[in-house]
Amino acid sequence: MELLGVIGNPIAHSLSPVMHNAALAATGRQGVYLPFLVEHAELAQAVYGARALGFTGLNVTIPFKEHVLPYLTELTPEARRIQSVNTIAFIDDRIVGHTTDGIGFTAAAKSELDFDFSRKAVLVIGAGGAARAITAELLARQCRVYITNRTYQRAEAFRELAGSARLQLTAVPMHPEALQPIMGQVDVVINTTSVGMAKPSAQNPGRESRADVPIPAELLLPQHLVIDIIYNPKQTLFLRLAQEKGCRTQNGVGMLVWQAVKAWEFWWGIAPPVEPMYQAIEASLS
Ligand code: ATR
């Protein structure tokens, strides 16, 4: 019996267990995948404990993707590039950290829309951890990346990801006047912020406002592919307005599924069947 799990805090909301267990059941692989709530002060014990118990691997989620680095014996080039780990493999005495967030993102677009990101021009909205993983992957695919963020300094700090290919990454202030001139040049617009996420405690759940979209939808053009990495709700207001503009759209379920597919490839070198994984997510969200 193989042991796997996800560590985070909070963790109860994580859809990884249903998704991975559905894939395990579909393949007949003898294994179980569990959620683990870990206190920050006990992160090292959690990682070393999983190794001592013979775990095959772990996923790592918020808030530990960076904090877990000191407890790993090595990083893949992808994880080293962004200093963030969402997948750990225990291989003999080694604790290997990898990130599948970026490759999962591009694999989802390839699989769901047959969209190839190579050399595309992309506007990334947001400059948090998810944006960092996606941006690094896009730069590796020689995309021209524009990055905009509420806190401009965080977007500017992404220049370091571009390294010698600095010219391919441009920080843009989050103002319509600054964004408008670049919209005609970009192929893809990606929301990586939490703007538009379901709020269980919302006072006026039916009410929509400008605060529910990351940038004004008037900026979108029909030729844009618009991707929101939010999966709850499945269709954010931003995606709905993008569709009304005639844009192709994709929600965050694909990234969720495909980062897990890439974790399987890292643990076992095989891709799980995605259909049961999508079904497990759909069932959990509805
Ligand atoms: P994650 O790891 O999921 O990307 P994060 O690191 O907390 O999460 O980043 C959240 C992103 O959403 C940031 O880009 C944040 O903008 P700031 O850097 O200015 O904080 C963005 N964000 C969150 N709430 C926002 C809001 N109400 N309006 C605009 N941007 C918001």
Side-chain angles (χ1 to χ4, degrees), residues 62 125-131 149-151 154 174 192-195 211 214 229:
I62 289 166
I125 309 168
N149 193 47
R150 177 178 61 178
T151 311
R154 285 186 89 188
M174 198 182 243
T192 72
T193 75
S194 50
V195 178
I229 69 164

